């Protein structure tokens, strides 16, 4: 009799475990995932994304309006190669017209209005490829994105997955950002969508940008580091990687709180506002997501 009871308990335990596993096992549902369980572990998806991430150096010359004073303005951001020959990055990596600050003994800092008179952009090289100049195609400071074009002779792997729909994001969705922290190389971090709309206080204070609309951004928990700006943030929909944001580290006082420009804003601007954007670039942003993110 005792053996029968033990057998019954064993069967009950196995049945309970099987039920619990079936109840809690993630299944495709058409939404962005809160984990990476459905991603095929045999794939090389993140490695392929890493290959598309680059560093952009911008060097500008500013001239004071009232005197022959020149000032260099150097900026470093990240970016990602898309559609074969373009680089998507951030607008705040491009110097605006602004002011020149000069330190004067016994008087402190003198600030003078200034205009930008020249600027060059370079995608920096690595051990595998040289540095190359790139051409600015489009800039939108309201949603903090910029687009550059690579020379026709340069081949850098593109972001290999589809553009997602950042309107579908929910708090708790799992995300990766593939950054370029401190300009020291590509670095992968994971996190979750922590807020769908950043507080306005976090969106203030970045030079050259107007007042930003929280509806154009979301927050993620892994934090952003200087030079991460412009690099991809991607989510997982039923195991497929999709590009949902562009890292935008907009206020160093809140550097542990990651802020991303929503990819929908970039899509709308490129499809509807960018007269200089060619057809192949627009096709990249208008194509529907397809395929598995971990092929």
């Amino acid at each position: 009799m005792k053996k029968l009871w033990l057998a019954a308990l064993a069967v009950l335990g196995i049945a309970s475990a099987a039920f619990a596993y079936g109840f809690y096992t993630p299944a495709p549902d058409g939404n962005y995932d809160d984990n990476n369980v459905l991603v095929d572990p045999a794939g090389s998806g993140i490695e392929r994304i890493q290959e598309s991430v680059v560093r952009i150096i911008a060097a500008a010359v500013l001239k004071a309006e009232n005197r022959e004073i020149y000032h260099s303005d150097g900026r470093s951001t990240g970016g990602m190669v898309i559609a074969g020959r373009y680089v998507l990055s951030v607008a705040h990596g491009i110097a605006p017209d602004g002011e020149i600050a000069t330190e004067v003994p016994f008087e402190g800092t003198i600030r003078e209005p200034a205009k930008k008179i020249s600027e060059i952009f370079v995608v920096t090289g690595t051990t595998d490829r040289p540095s190359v100049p790139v051409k600015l195609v489009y800039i939108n400071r309201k949603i903090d994105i910029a687009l550059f074009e690579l020379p026709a002779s340069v081949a850098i792997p593109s972001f290999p997955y589809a553009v997602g729909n950042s309107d579908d994001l929910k708090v708790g969705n799992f995300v990766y950002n593939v950054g370029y922290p401190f300009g020291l190389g590509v670095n992968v971090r994971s996190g979750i969508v922590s807020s769908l709309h950043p507080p306005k206080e976090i969106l203030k204070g970045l030079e050259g940008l107007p007042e930003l609309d929280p509806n154009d951004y979301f927050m993620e928990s892994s934090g952003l580091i200087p030079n991460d700006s412009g690099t991809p943030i991607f989510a997982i929909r039923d195991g497929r990687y999709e590009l949902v944001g562009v890292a935008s580290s907009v206020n160093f006082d809140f550097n542990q709180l990651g802020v991303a420009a929503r990819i929908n804003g970039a899509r709308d601007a490129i499809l509807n506002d960018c007269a200089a954007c060619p057809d192949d670039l627009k096709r990249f942003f208008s194509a529907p997501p397809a395929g598995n993110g971990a092929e």
Side-chain angles (χ1 to χ4, degrees), residues 25-276:
T25 298
D29 60 5
N31 299 315
Y32 283 120
D33 304 341
D34 291 345
N35 50 63
N36 60 357
V37 173
L38 296 177
V39 175
D40 182 358
S44 57
I46 294 180
E47 288 84 355
R48 292 173 61 187
I49 295 171
Q50 284 180 281
E51 294 174 350
S52 71
V53 173
V54 297
R55 181 187 181 196
I56 300 174
I57 300 293
V61 176
L62 304 178
K63 179 183 180 297
E65 291 183 343
N66 300 320
R67 294 193 293 162
E68 290 294 319
I69 296 178
Y70 294 84
H71 171 74
S72 61
D73 186 308
R75 299 174 185 229
S76 171
T77 59
M80 71 188 104
V81 178
I82 58 174
R85 60 194 180 99
Y86 306 96
V87 180
L88 178 61
S89 187
V90 285
H92 70 258
I94 299 171
D97 290 338
E99 61 183 17
I100 293 176
T102 306
E103 298 296 330
V104 179
F106 308 111
E107 294 187 28
T109 302
I110 296 179
R111 300 183 181 276
E112 300 179 82
K115 290 190 176 295
K116 182 169 60 178
I117 60 174
S118 66
E119 192 162 25
I120 61 171
F121 308 99
V122 174
V123 166
T124 61
T126 65
T127 55
D128 302 320
R129 56 182 184 246
S131 298
V132 294
V134 288
K135 180 179 72 173
L136 179 64
V137 174
Y138 176 70
I139 180 172
N140 187 318
R141 295 191 185 274
K142 180 179 181 297
I143 56 174
D144 196 19
I145 65 162
L147 278 164
F148 302 88
E149 185 175 4
L150 290 161
S153 59
V154 174
I156 300 175
S158 291
F159 184 86
Y161 301 110
V163 175
N165 184 350
S166 52
D167 287 346
D168 290 346
L169 290 172
K170 296 180 180 178
V171 171
N173 288 156
F174 188 93
V175 291
Y176 286 106
N177 59 286
V178 183
Y180 215 120
F182 299 112
L184 297 177
V186 179
N187 179 276
V188 180
R189 277 151 280 153
S190 64
I192 63 168
V193 175
S194 56
S195 174
L196 296 179
H197 307 290
K200 288 188 175 182
E201 289 76 9
I202 291 181
L203 296 175
K204 290 179 180 178
L206 192 65
E207 179 188 1
L209 295 185
E211 183 174 350
L212 302 177
D213 186 345
N215 293 316
D216 292 327
Y217 297 83
F218 67 91
M219 298 181 68
E220 53 99 5
S221 64
S222 67
L224 296 176
I225 299 171
N227 306 126
D228 274 344
S229 297
T231 53
I233 294 179
F234 55 100
I236 304 170
R237 192 194 298 269
D238 294 340
R240 302 188 312 271
Y241 296 138
E242 292 181 8
L243 179 65
V244 294
V246 179
S248 180
S249 184
V250 297
N251 192 314
F252 292 123
D253 292 336
F254 299 93
N255 199 45
Q256 296 305 307
L257 301 176
V259 177
R262 290 174 174 266
I263 201 62
N264 284 21
R267 174 197 281 120
D268 292 345
I270 289 165
L271 294 179
N272 303 314
D273 181 61
C274 179

